[in-house]
Amino acid sequence: QGENQPAIYGYVKTGGTLQLGVNVEWRISNRMALFAEGHNLTASKVYEWLGYYDSTPQAMLGVKMTF
């Protein structure tokens, strides 16, 4: 409530970034698929929340099965 309190709601402008992501899926059969996902492959500083950024490329590999 005081004048020196930080704003709870608002926007902060940050510099531009490039975030590259890739999703690939290979259907082996009607019931099985292999997939690969990559996020932030350019290792840009991406601000999801004010003051917290993520600059690490991330990847995930897996198998999808339908029963």
Side-chain angles (χ1 to χ4, degrees), residues 27-59:
R27 303 283 302 161
I28 297 172
S29 68
N30 288 339
R31 295 183 171 221
M32 186 181 295
L34 300 175
F35 72 91
E37 297 180 7
H39 302 281
N40 195 17
L41 300 178
T42 57
S44 297
K45 261 189 184 177
V46 178
Y47 287 88
E48 296 287 340
W49 299 96
L50 180 61
Y52 298 94
Y53 68 89
D54 186 15
S55 63
T56 306
Q58 300 170 1

mmCIF file of all heavy atoms in Angstrom, residues 27-59:
data_model
loop_
_atom_site.group_PDB
_atom_site.id
_atom_site.type_symbol
_atom_site.label_atom_id
_atom_site.label_comp_id
_atom_site.label_asym_id
_atom_site.label_seq_id
_atom_site.Cartn_x
_atom_site.Cartn_y
_atom_site.Cartn_z
ATOM 1 N N ARG A 27 6.135 -42.350 -36.884
ATOM 2 C CA ARG A 27 5.172 -43.414 -36.597
ATOM 3 C C ARG A 27 5.739 -44.739 -37.116
ATOM 4 O O ARG A 27 5.883 -44.933 -38.316
ATOM 5 C CB ARG A 27 3.830 -43.143 -37.264
ATOM 6 C CG ARG A 27 3.178 -41.844 -36.896
ATOM 7 C CD ARG A 27 2.506 -41.776 -35.589
ATOM 8 N NE ARG A 27 1.454 -42.737 -35.367
ATOM 9 C CZ ARG A 27 1.023 -43.049 -34.165
ATOM 10 N NH1 ARG A 27 1.559 -42.486 -33.106
ATOM 11 N NH2 ARG A 27 0.063 -43.899 -33.999
ATOM 12 N N ILE A 28 6.043 -45.647 -36.208
ATOM 13 C CA ILE A 28 6.555 -46.959 -36.573
ATOM 14 C C ILE A 28 5.401 -47.866 -36.983
ATOM 15 O O ILE A 28 5.502 -48.625 -37.933
ATOM 16 C CB ILE A 28 7.343 -47.583 -35.403
ATOM 17 C CG1 ILE A 28 8.563 -46.701 -35.108
ATOM 18 C CG2 ILE A 28 7.763 -48.998 -35.701
ATOM 19 C CD1 ILE A 28 9.308 -47.099 -33.870
ATOM 20 N N SER A 29 4.304 -47.771 -36.250
ATOM 21 C CA SER A 29 3.097 -48.549 -36.543
ATOM 22 C C SER A 29 1.897 -47.753 -36.054
ATOM 23 O O SER A 29 2.047 -46.622 -35.595
ATOM 24 C CB SER A 29 3.148 -49.920 -35.864
ATOM 25 O OG SER A 29 3.053 -49.772 -34.453
ATOM 26 N N ASN A 30 0.701 -48.332 -36.121
ATOM 27 C CA ASN A 30 -0.488 -47.648 -35.626
ATOM 28 C C ASN A 30 -0.458 -47.484 -34.110
ATOM 29 O O ASN A 30 -1.175 -46.654 -33.563
ATOM 30 C CB ASN A 30 -1.754 -48.413 -36.020
ATOM 31 C CG ASN A 30 -2.036 -48.300 -37.493
ATOM 32 O OD1 ASN A 30 -1.560 -47.384 -38.149
ATOM 33 N ND2 ASN A 30 -2.801 -49.243 -38.016
ATOM 34 N N ARG A 31 0.348 -48.269 -33.437
ATOM 35 C CA ARG A 31 0.380 -48.235 -31.977
ATOM 36 C C ARG A 31 1.662 -47.683 -31.369
ATOM 37 O O ARG A 31 1.748 -47.503 -30.162
ATOM 38 C CB ARG A 31 0.156 -49.646 -31.426
ATOM 39 C CG ARG A 31 -1.210 -50.165 -31.744
ATOM 40 C CD ARG A 31 -1.428 -51.504 -31.124
ATOM 41 N NE ARG A 31 -2.815 -51.885 -31.264
ATOM 42 C CZ ARG A 31 -3.514 -52.474 -30.331
ATOM 43 N NH1 ARG A 31 -2.962 -52.785 -29.190
ATOM 44 N NH2 ARG A 31 -4.762 -52.778 -30.537
ATOM 45 N N MET A 32 2.689 -47.414 -32.167
ATOM 46 C CA MET A 32 3.973 -46.982 -31.610
ATOM 47 C C MET A 32 4.590 -45.869 -32.454
ATOM 48 O O MET A 32 4.517 -45.890 -33.677
ATOM 49 C CB MET A 32 4.945 -48.155 -31.534
ATOM 50 C CG MET A 32 6.251 -47.809 -30.820
ATOM 51 S SD MET A 32 7.416 -49.178 -30.753
ATOM 52 C CE MET A 32 6.539 -50.341 -29.736
ATOM 53 N N ALA A 33 5.208 -44.901 -31.751
ATOM 54 C CA ALA A 33 5.903 -43.805 -32.420
ATOM 55 C C ALA A 33 7.113 -43.395 -31.593
ATOM 56 O O ALA A 33 7.106 -43.497 -30.361
ATOM 57 C CB ALA A 33 4.976 -42.616 -32.606
ATOM 58 N N LEU A 34 8.154 -42.935 -32.256
ATOM 59 C CA LEU A 34 9.322 -42.354 -31.612
ATOM 60 C C LEU A 34 9.232 -40.843 -31.781
ATOM 61 O O LEU A 34 8.767 -40.363 -32.808
ATOM 62 C CB LEU A 34 10.611 -42.857 -32.250
ATOM 63 C CG LEU A 34 10.854 -44.364 -32.219
ATOM 64 C CD1 LEU A 34 12.123 -44.689 -33.007
ATOM 65 C CD2 LEU A 34 10.971 -44.854 -30.795
ATOM 66 N N PHE A 35 9.663 -40.090 -30.757
ATOM 67 C CA PHE A 35 9.611 -38.637 -30.894
ATOM 68 C C PHE A 35 10.870 -37.991 -30.330
ATOM 69 O O PHE A 35 11.574 -38.565 -29.499
ATOM 70 C CB PHE A 35 8.366 -38.066 -30.209
ATOM 71 C CG PHE A 35 8.414 -38.084 -28.709
ATOM 72 C CD1 PHE A 35 8.920 -37.006 -28.004
ATOM 73 C CD2 PHE A 35 7.952 -39.178 -27.999
ATOM 74 C CE1 PHE A 35 8.957 -37.021 -26.624
ATOM 75 C CE2 PHE A 35 7.972 -39.203 -26.623
ATOM 76 C CZ PHE A 35 8.484 -38.118 -25.933
ATOM 77 N N ALA A 36 11.145 -36.792 -30.827
ATOM 78 C CA ALA A 36 12.248 -35.971 -30.336
ATOM 79 C C ALA A 36 11.751 -34.527 -30.291
ATOM 80 O O ALA A 36 11.069 -34.069 -31.212
ATOM 81 C CB ALA A 36 13.457 -36.087 -31.250
ATOM 82 N N GLU A 37 12.076 -33.825 -29.218
ATOM 83 C CA GLU A 37 11.706 -32.426 -29.052
ATOM 84 C C GLU A 37 12.927 -31.638 -28.607
ATOM 85 O O GLU A 37 13.724 -32.120 -27.816
ATOM 86 C CB GLU A 37 10.612 -32.262 -27.990
ATOM 87 C CG GLU A 37 9.315 -32.931 -28.314
ATOM 88 C CD GLU A 37 8.271 -32.741 -27.218
ATOM 89 O OE1 GLU A 37 8.525 -31.970 -26.261
ATOM 90 O OE2 GLU A 37 7.215 -33.361 -27.329
ATOM 91 N N GLY A 38 13.065 -30.450 -29.135
ATOM 92 C CA GLY A 38 14.137 -29.548 -28.721
ATOM 93 C C GLY A 38 13.571 -28.163 -28.480
ATOM 94 O O GLY A 38 12.740 -27.688 -29.263
ATOM 95 N N HIS A 39 13.987 -27.509 -27.402
ATOM 96 C CA HIS A 39 13.503 -26.181 -27.043
ATOM 97 C C HIS A 39 14.685 -25.251 -26.810
ATOM 98 O O HIS A 39 15.702 -25.662 -26.266
ATOM 99 C CB HIS A 39 12.648 -26.228 -25.778
ATOM 100 C CG HIS A 39 11.473 -27.137 -25.899
ATOM 101 N ND1 HIS A 39 10.326 -26.776 -26.546
ATOM 102 C CD2 HIS A 39 11.283 -28.404 -25.485
ATOM 103 C CE1 HIS A 39 9.460 -27.772 -26.509
ATOM 104 N NE2 HIS A 39 10.034 -28.790 -25.870
ATOM 105 N N ASN A 40 14.543 -24.015 -27.227
ATOM 106 C CA ASN A 40 15.564 -22.975 -27.058
ATOM 107 C C ASN A 40 16.917 -23.440 -27.604
ATOM 108 O O ASN A 40 17.943 -23.332 -26.936
ATOM 109 C CB ASN A 40 15.677 -22.541 -25.600
ATOM 110 C CG ASN A 40 16.437 -21.236 -25.449
ATOM 111 O OD1 ASN A 40 16.623 -20.497 -26.402
ATOM 112 N ND2 ASN A 40 16.889 -20.953 -24.245
ATOM 113 N N LEU A 41 16.916 -23.941 -28.808
ATOM 114 C CA LEU A 41 18.141 -24.482 -29.408
ATOM 115 C C LEU A 41 19.169 -23.407 -29.738
ATOM 116 O O LEU A 41 20.331 -23.716 -29.986
ATOM 117 C CB LEU A 41 17.786 -25.283 -30.660
ATOM 118 C CG LEU A 41 16.856 -26.480 -30.403
ATOM 119 C CD1 LEU A 41 16.519 -27.171 -31.708
ATOM 120 C CD2 LEU A 41 17.462 -27.447 -29.412
ATOM 121 N N THR A 42 18.767 -22.136 -29.734
ATOM 122 C CA THR A 42 19.700 -21.038 -29.962
ATOM 123 C C THR A 42 20.354 -20.552 -28.672
ATOM 124 O O THR A 42 21.182 -19.658 -28.695
ATOM 125 C CB THR A 42 18.972 -19.853 -30.624
ATOM 126 O OG1 THR A 42 17.885 -19.459 -29.795
ATOM 127 C CG2 THR A 42 18.477 -20.222 -32.001
ATOM 128 N N ALA A 43 19.966 -21.130 -27.530
ATOM 129 C CA ALA A 43 20.496 -20.773 -26.201
ATOM 130 C C ALA A 43 20.298 -19.295 -25.891
ATOM 131 O O ALA A 43 21.148 -18.650 -25.296
ATOM 132 C CB ALA A 43 21.961 -21.175 -26.072
ATOM 133 N N SER A 44 19.143 -18.739 -26.297
ATOM 134 C CA SER A 44 18.814 -17.344 -26.011
ATOM 135 C C SER A 44 18.362 -17.201 -24.565
ATOM 136 O O SER A 44 17.854 -18.140 -23.964
ATOM 137 C CB SER A 44 17.682 -16.872 -26.926
ATOM 138 O OG SER A 44 18.082 -16.906 -28.268
ATOM 139 N N LYS A 45 18.531 -15.995 -24.016
ATOM 140 C CA LYS A 45 18.004 -15.695 -22.684
ATOM 141 C C LYS A 45 16.513 -15.458 -22.838
ATOM 142 O O LYS A 45 16.088 -14.430 -23.344
ATOM 143 C CB LYS A 45 18.650 -14.441 -22.121
ATOM 144 C CG LYS A 45 19.746 -14.676 -21.172
ATOM 145 C CD LYS A 45 20.162 -13.366 -20.516
ATOM 146 C CE LYS A 45 21.348 -13.612 -19.631
ATOM 147 N NZ LYS A 45 21.854 -12.397 -19.023
ATOM 148 N N VAL A 46 15.701 -16.412 -22.420
ATOM 149 C CA VAL A 46 14.254 -16.316 -22.538
ATOM 150 C C VAL A 46 13.675 -16.050 -21.151
ATOM 151 O O VAL A 46 13.876 -16.831 -20.235
ATOM 152 C CB VAL A 46 13.666 -17.618 -23.129
ATOM 153 C CG1 VAL A 46 12.155 -17.532 -23.214
ATOM 154 C CG2 VAL A 46 14.259 -17.884 -24.497
ATOM 155 N N TYR A 47 12.974 -14.933 -21.010
ATOM 156 C CA TYR A 47 12.367 -14.556 -19.736
ATOM 157 C C TYR A 47 10.934 -15.053 -19.694
ATOM 158 O O TYR A 47 10.071 -14.515 -20.371
ATOM 159 C CB TYR A 47 12.388 -13.036 -19.554
ATOM 160 C CG TYR A 47 13.759 -12.489 -19.251
ATOM 161 C CD1 TYR A 47 14.626 -12.138 -20.274
ATOM 162 C CD2 TYR A 47 14.182 -12.337 -17.940
ATOM 163 C CE1 TYR A 47 15.893 -11.650 -20.002
ATOM 164 C CE2 TYR A 47 15.439 -11.846 -17.649
ATOM 165 C CZ TYR A 47 16.289 -11.504 -18.692
ATOM 166 O OH TYR A 47 17.531 -11.023 -18.397
ATOM 167 N N GLU A 48 10.673 -16.110 -18.931
ATOM 168 C CA GLU A 48 9.310 -16.594 -18.727
ATOM 169 C C GLU A 48 8.645 -15.815 -17.600
ATOM 170 O O GLU A 48 7.451 -15.575 -17.619
ATOM 171 C CB GLU A 48 9.308 -18.087 -18.392
ATOM 172 C CG GLU A 48 9.829 -18.968 -19.503
ATOM 173 C CD GLU A 48 8.855 -19.094 -20.670
ATOM 174 O OE1 GLU A 48 7.652 -18.835 -20.488
ATOM 175 O OE2 GLU A 48 9.307 -19.444 -21.758
ATOM 176 N N TRP A 49 9.430 -15.450 -16.580
ATOM 177 C CA TRP A 49 8.949 -14.695 -15.428
ATOM 178 C C TRP A 49 9.922 -13.571 -15.162
ATOM 179 O O TRP A 49 11.126 -13.701 -15.407
ATOM 180 C CB TRP A 49 8.850 -15.600 -14.191
ATOM 181 C CG TRP A 49 7.910 -16.731 -14.385
ATOM 182 C CD1 TRP A 49 8.231 -17.998 -14.774
ATOM 183 C CD2 TRP A 49 6.500 -16.704 -14.251
ATOM 184 N NE1 TRP A 49 7.102 -18.759 -14.875
ATOM 185 C CE2 TRP A 49 6.016 -17.982 -14.557
ATOM 186 C CE3 TRP A 49 5.591 -15.725 -13.888
ATOM 187 C CZ2 TRP A 49 4.677 -18.304 -14.516
ATOM 188 C CZ3 TRP A 49 4.258 -16.053 -13.846
ATOM 189 C CH2 TRP A 49 3.810 -17.329 -14.151
ATOM 190 N N LEU A 50 9.454 -12.456 -14.652
ATOM 191 C CA LEU A 50 10.289 -11.297 -14.384
ATOM 192 C C LEU A 50 11.450 -11.666 -13.458
ATOM 193 O O LEU A 50 11.242 -12.187 -12.370
ATOM 194 C CB LEU A 50 9.452 -10.183 -13.753
ATOM 195 C CG LEU A 50 10.202 -8.892 -13.426
ATOM 196 C CD1 LEU A 50 10.778 -8.289 -14.699
ATOM 197 C CD2 LEU A 50 9.279 -7.907 -12.737
ATOM 198 N N GLY A 51 12.670 -11.427 -13.928
ATOM 199 C CA GLY A 51 13.850 -11.691 -13.121
ATOM 200 C C GLY A 51 14.384 -13.112 -13.228
ATOM 201 O O GLY A 51 15.437 -13.413 -12.698
ATOM 202 N N TYR A 52 13.672 -14.002 -13.906
ATOM 203 C CA TYR A 52 14.106 -15.397 -14.039
ATOM 204 C C TYR A 52 14.184 -15.738 -15.520
ATOM 205 O O TYR A 52 13.196 -15.639 -16.228
ATOM 206 C CB TYR A 52 13.117 -16.349 -13.344
ATOM 207 C CG TYR A 52 13.005 -16.109 -11.867
ATOM 208 C CD1 TYR A 52 12.016 -15.275 -11.369
ATOM 209 C CD2 TYR A 52 13.892 -16.700 -10.988
ATOM 210 C CE1 TYR A 52 11.911 -15.032 -10.014
ATOM 211 C CE2 TYR A 52 13.792 -16.467 -9.631
ATOM 212 C CZ TYR A 52 12.800 -15.632 -9.151
ATOM 213 O OH TYR A 52 12.707 -15.407 -7.814
ATOM 214 N N TYR A 53 15.336 -16.140 -15.982
ATOM 215 C CA TYR A 53 15.476 -16.487 -17.381
ATOM 216 C C TYR A 53 16.025 -17.900 -17.529
ATOM 217 O O TYR A 53 16.573 -18.473 -16.601
ATOM 218 C CB TYR A 53 16.372 -15.490 -18.111
ATOM 219 C CG TYR A 53 17.823 -15.524 -17.687
ATOM 220 C CD1 TYR A 53 18.718 -16.374 -18.305
ATOM 221 C CD2 TYR A 53 18.282 -14.706 -16.671
ATOM 222 C CE1 TYR A 53 20.045 -16.415 -17.908
ATOM 223 C CE2 TYR A 53 19.596 -14.737 -16.276
ATOM 224 C CZ TYR A 53 20.470 -15.590 -16.906
ATOM 225 O OH TYR A 53 21.779 -15.628 -16.517
ATOM 226 N N ASP A 54 15.858 -18.426 -18.713
ATOM 227 C CA ASP A 54 16.364 -19.749 -19.045
ATOM 228 C C ASP A 54 17.174 -19.617 -20.324
ATOM 229 O O ASP A 54 16.664 -19.123 -21.329
ATOM 230 C CB ASP A 54 15.195 -20.716 -19.245
ATOM 231 C CG ASP A 54 15.644 -22.141 -19.452
ATOM 232 O OD1 ASP A 54 16.817 -22.435 -19.162
ATOM 233 O OD2 ASP A 54 14.820 -22.955 -19.895
ATOM 234 N N SER A 55 18.424 -20.003 -20.295
ATOM 235 C CA SER A 55 19.269 -19.901 -21.485
ATOM 236 C C SER A 55 19.864 -21.254 -21.871
ATOM 237 O O SER A 55 20.803 -21.319 -22.641
ATOM 238 C CB SER A 55 20.397 -18.889 -21.252
ATOM 239 O OG SER A 55 21.233 -19.331 -20.201
ATOM 240 N N THR A 56 19.296 -22.325 -21.354
ATOM 241 C CA THR A 56 19.821 -23.660 -21.606
ATOM 242 C C THR A 56 18.995 -24.366 -22.675
ATOM 243 O O THR A 56 17.781 -24.459 -22.549
ATOM 244 C CB THR A 56 19.774 -24.502 -20.316
ATOM 245 O OG1 THR A 56 20.447 -23.798 -19.282
ATOM 246 C CG2 THR A 56 20.428 -25.854 -20.526
ATOM 247 N N PRO A 57 19.630 -24.858 -23.726
ATOM 248 C CA PRO A 57 18.883 -25.682 -24.682
ATOM 249 C C PRO A 57 18.396 -26.957 -23.992
ATOM 250 O O PRO A 57 19.071 -27.507 -23.128
ATOM 251 C CB PRO A 57 19.920 -26.024 -25.754
ATOM 252 C CG PRO A 57 20.999 -25.018 -25.597
ATOM 253 C CD PRO A 57 21.006 -24.642 -24.152
ATOM 254 N N GLN A 58 17.198 -27.394 -24.366
ATOM 255 C CA GLN A 58 16.608 -28.582 -23.747
ATOM 256 C C GLN A 58 16.180 -29.553 -24.840
ATOM 257 O O GLN A 58 15.728 -29.139 -25.905
ATOM 258 C CB GLN A 58 15.401 -28.192 -22.904
ATOM 259 C CG GLN A 58 15.739 -27.230 -21.801
ATOM 260 C CD GLN A 58 14.501 -26.667 -21.126
ATOM 261 O OE1 GLN A 58 13.381 -27.003 -21.467
ATOM 262 N NE2 GLN A 58 14.711 -25.798 -20.166
ATOM 263 N N ALA A 59 16.299 -30.843 -24.564
ATOM 264 C CA ALA A 59 15.896 -31.874 -25.523
ATOM 265 C C ALA A 59 15.232 -33.028 -24.786
ATOM 266 O O ALA A 59 15.522 -33.277 -23.613
ATOM 267 C CB ALA A 59 17.110 -32.391 -26.294
#
